Amino acid sequence: MLPKRLVIIGGVAGGASAAARARRLCENCDIIIFERGPHVSFANCGLPYFVGGEIVEADALLVQTPESLRARFNLDVRVQTEVLSIDREAHEVRVREVVTGHEYTHGYDALVLSTGAAPLKPPIPGIERNGHFTVRNVPDVQRITDWTKDCRACHAVVIGGGYIGLEMAEQLKRHGGLTVSVIEALPQVMAPLDPEMAAWLHAELRANEVDLHLGDPVAVFEPPRADENARASVVVLKSGQRLPADVVILGLGVRPETWLARNAGLEVGKLGGIRVNDHLQTSDPRIWAVGDAIEVRDAVTRDWAVIPLAGPANRQGRIAADNIFGRPSRYQGTRGTAILRLFSVTAGCTGPNEKTLRKYGIPYNALHLHPNSHAGYYPGAEPIALKILFAPDTGRLLGAQAVGHDGVDKRIDVLSTALQGNMTVHDLAELELAYAPPYGSAKDALNLGGMAAQNVLAGDVHLAQWDEVAGLDPAKSIVLDVRRPDERAKGFIPGSLHIPLDQLRGRLKELPRDREIIVYCHSGQRSYYACRLLRQRGYQTRNLSGSWRTWKMATAH
Ligand code: FAD
């Protein structure tokens, strides 16, 4: 029997989507949204851009209001109303009006939890000091802008190099005019990227004068000493370094907000998210859960994962409503497809990275290349640092990462689509992509990636990785640079032999036959030609994946 009363807890991404879809499927039922905060359906993802002033009016962040949702969808939206508990036997929720403290119960036939995720606040001494802010909702960013204005903040310290931390760092620096430090406990920012890809973001932060501290976690937040000028705190790092801060942004990640579900006895997984089946139904068949609060299946590893992103939350809201109203649609799992703008570069990823593939024992090949964003002869072409992970036997695409100034977004979206369609690198080589010189190349970056991967699968070339170079045994391997002399003059891999590609056939005698030759050029194409030439003449070779560009960036400090 279809429900008459649908109650939704949490009225932003997943909750609002579920409610709107539910109304389209059931005109006659009661749909009520309880939202603890003052706003529903606001643009969490736009919050950093309000701090920086790129989004000028806070109202622009309010995609819908309780009034607009009532007018269009006849939804009963109760903001500033927190759900305190769920009585699964009586099919009731107990709620409290935040402003008046008035409490009451409300019955449901079906319940959707879209309670999101709360910013992490680890027990670092001093973390609760004034001038420290997390970023979750509109009041948070209003508090940040008020504080920075009122105390005439000059220096911000952002703790955490995930995407929220980096977006906040960019916005405070670029539009707020503050000097900014970013503190990251790990040796790299943006954990979903592999380290050699994150290195491009480190370079971009430094190029924009962001003071970046990697591998140096916060030990304590202290009040400033007499000789220190800090309106908020002095951030003391494990290394002992002291960073006076007028404002501190805590971007330390998020944790599924599941206390309501736990207290109601719903099953919660080992990662702390509410467990749901493919129909997004919890362990109670009358209760569904969506968004940042749930654990989902990673589409590649098939293990449980917590992936707090807006796209999945919105789609899950729709799927939950479908199931509640008798349409058994399924959620197919998440690939963690994500994108970040950081000053002038864009970084994107889809699917697991190398670290994750190793953890799950999934065999893979890693290929780096640096194709142009569009035809090289048309003005404005920019190289894209592209990494493709694929199965060594079938060539099935497993994951991809890209960083660059132009064209990253569409390549990551195509790669995400390919991943979802279980496509292989052979399919990438064959992709028919729209081409005109301002947009792409006749052989698009992704065609080239597919073709280069096919060369690996065919055994035409073997790859060496940037992190193998430092550990090579000179008795067994040499490194060969086949770039032009003017390129070599700008820098080279220490200890490498130099023979420009065009001289190679005439200088073969200089190369050992009893040792492996790791060949590199600027981005991997000419070194591939060299590998083919040498292999056909009986030399053992490997092409340095991504060549000089990847090695140089990955090993820069
Ligand atoms: P939310 O949208 O967080 O909504 C949960 C709501 O539930 C909250 O408003 C909360 O008040 C309410 N609630 C919780 N408990 C109760 C209760 N007991 N009673 C009543 N109400 C309750 N994702 C991207 O994909 N791309 C981005 O660029 C991006 N940028 C982001 C930037 C920022 C600053 C933030 C904070 C998030 C960003 N995200 C981004 C993540 C994205 O916003 C979330 O994945 C998405 O909003 C999750 O939707 P949700 O419905 O699960 O939770």
Side-chain angles (χ1 to χ4, degrees):
M1 203 172 65
L2 296 183
K4 286 253 174 286
R5 295 168 306 169
L6 171 61
V7 168
I8 296 173
I9 308 175
V12 191
S17 296
R21 174 69 173 167
R23 175 57 76 219
R24 294 194 289 276
L25 299 179
C26 181
E27 181 57 19
N28 299 323
C29 59
D30 295 331
I31 304 174
I32 182 164
I33 298 179
F34 292 115
E35 166 54 54
R36 182 175 57 202
H39 306 112
V40 277
S41 197
F42 64 86
N44 331 45
C45 310
L47 295 173
Y49 304 99
F50 174 72
V51 173
E54 267 190 87
I55 295 174
V56 181
E57 300 293 338
D59 281 358
L61 296 167
L62 307 179
V63 182
Q64 296 283 352
T65 61
E67 295 73 32
S68 68
L69 288 172
R70 175 175 287 285
R72 178 145 308 168
F73 298 112
N74 188 24
L75 302 179
D76 179 354
V77 181
R78 302 190 193 175
V79 291
Q80 297 194 297
T81 308
E82 181 169 33
V83 176
L84 302 174
S85 59
I86 302 166
D87 183 337
R88 288 167 49 198
E89 295 212 336
H91 308 135
E92 280 176 356
V93 291
R94 177 127 196 107
V95 302
R96 178 174 57 209
E97 292 174 355
V98 174
V99 178
T100 62
H102 172 63
E103 289 189 16
Y104 56 92
T105 54
H106 192 95
Y108 66 83
D109 301 317
L111 180 66
V112 176
L113 300 178
S114 187
T115 46
L120 284 174
K121 266 196 183 181
I124 303 170
I127 198 164
E128 298 294 349
R129 288 177 54 77
N130 278 345
H132 292 195
F133 301 93
T134 53
V135 189
R136 185 178 185 186
N137 50 36
V138 179
D140 287 343
V141 290
Q142 279 170 328
R143 276 193 288 271
I144 294 170
T145 52
D146 289 350
W147 173 274
T148 51
K149 217 178 285 163
D150 292 351
C151 78
R152 301 192 182 175
C154 294
H155 190 67
V157 177
V158 176
I159 319 292
Y163 71 85
I164 294 179
L166 293 183
E167 285 175 354
M168 288 298 292
E170 183 215 58
Q171 288 295 305
L172 289 163
K173 178 84 179 84
R174 187 147 126 169
H175 301 280
L178 282 75
T179 54
V180 179
S181 302
V182 171
I183 315 301
E184 171 55 60
L186 298 173
Q188 68 163 87
V189 299
M190 280 295 280
L193 298 179
D194 286 315
E196 78 281 15
M197 303 301 285
W200 295 91
L201 300 182
H202 302 163
E204 183 67 5
L205 286 165
R206 289 176 177 134
N208 285 279
E209 294 171 347
V210 172
D211 168 42
L212 179 61
H213 298 259
L214 296 172
D216 198 1
V218 178
V220 55
F221 298 97
E222 284 185 358
R225 294 178 194 149
D227 61 333
E228 287 171 327
N229 197 1
R231 303 294 164 130
S233 288
V234 173
V235 183
V236 185
L237 306 184
K238 196 173 164 214
S239 62
Q241 212 167 337
R242 299 176 65 82
L243 304 171
D246 297 321
V247 53
V248 172
I249 306 294
L250 302 170
L252 290 156
V254 296
R255 176 183 295 133
E257 189 166 336
T258 54
W259 55 268
L260 202 53
R262 282 177 197 273
N263 291 350
L266 296 176
E267 189 186 346
V268 171
K270 60 180 175 11
L271 302 173
I274 302 169
R275 274 285 163 88
V276 290
N277 62 20
D278 290 354
H279 302 289
L280 303 175
Q281 201 168 27
T282 67
S283 50
D284 180 326
R286 276 186 196 239
I287 305 179
W288 283 258
V290 301
D292 290 1
I294 65 170
E295 288 184 9
V296 290
R297 287 284 182 189
D298 180 294
V300 176
T301 66
R302 298 311 302 166
D303 198 2
W304 293 104
V306 169
I307 301 182
L309 288 170
N314 275 277
R315 296 195 309 278
Q316 290 160 5
R318 178 184 168 95
I319 291 171
D322 277 356
N323 281 281
I324 290 167
F325 291 100
R327 299 191 181 193
S329 56
R330 283 174 185 272
Y331 187 65
Q332 295 172 13
T334 303
R335 279 151 217 88
T337 306
I339 194 156
L340 163 81
R341 185 195 73 192
L342 186 64
F343 299 101
S344 66
V345 300
T346 301
C349 58
T350 184
N353 58 20
E354 278 197 66
K355 195 170 55 188
T356 308
L357 292 172
R358 274 199 296 269
K359 177 178 157 196
Y360 286 95
I362 299 173
Y364 66 90
N365 274 328
L367 173 76
H368 303 77
L369 64 163
H370 300 272
N372 277 330
S373 56
H374 61 246
Y377 61 81
Y378 184 84
E382 294 279 354
I384 299 172
L386 181 62
K387 177 171 186 175
I388 297 176
L389 297 161
F390 58 98
D393 48 357
T394 59
R396 184 188 157 210
L397 188 62
L398 298 171
Q401 299 159 43
V403 187
H405 294 276
D406 181 41
V408 166
D409 52 345
K410 81 166 168 177
R411 273 39 179 243
I412 281 298
D413 280 345
V414 170
L415 287 162
S416 171
T417 310
L419 199 54
Q420 186 161 354
N422 289 318
M423 288 167 73
T424 66
V425 292
H426 305 293
D427 296 314
L428 291 188
E430 285 300 316
L431 284 180
E432 185 175 312
L433 300 169
Y435 162 60
Y439 302 107
S441 301
K443 268 188 206 153
D444 185 79
L446 298 184
N447 298 133
L448 291 175
M451 290 170 191
Q454 283 182 315
N455 294 336
V456 175
L457 291 175
D460 291 344
V461 66
H462 300 304
L463 296 177
Q465 298 297 331
W466 65 272
D467 54 354
E468 293 179 58
V469 172
L472 289 175
D473 177 353
K476 294 187 183 150
S477 320
I478 68 155
V479 178
L480 173 66
D481 178 355
V482 295
R483 294 174 303 163
R484 297 185 312 268
D486 62 306
E487 293 173 286
R488 176 133 176 127
K490 291 183 193 149
F492 53 86
I493 296 180
S496 56
L497 183 69
H498 182 220
I499 305 177
L501 175 62
D502 295 344
Q503 299 175 16
L504 196 56
R505 284 189 183 83
R507 296 176 58 182
L508 290 176
K509 287 204 179 92
E510 296 173 41
L511 294 172
R513 286 198 174 270
D514 58 346
R515 282 183 285 166
E516 183 187 46
I517 305 168
I518 309 291
V519 191
Y520 77 96
C521 62
H522 188 62
S523 62
Q525 191 173 19
R526 283 170 290 164
S527 50
Y528 163 64
Y529 300 154
C531 283
R532 289 300 303 149
L533 184 167
L534 292 171
R535 283 200 68 193
Q536 291 180 74
R537 289 172 182 255
Y539 294 88
Q540 311 161 50
T541 60
R542 281 196 289 158
N543 191 8
L544 182 60
S545 184
S547 268
W548 171 254
R549 286 183 69 94
T550 297
W551 181 88
K552 174 87 171 59
M553 188 52 78
T555 56
H557 295 294

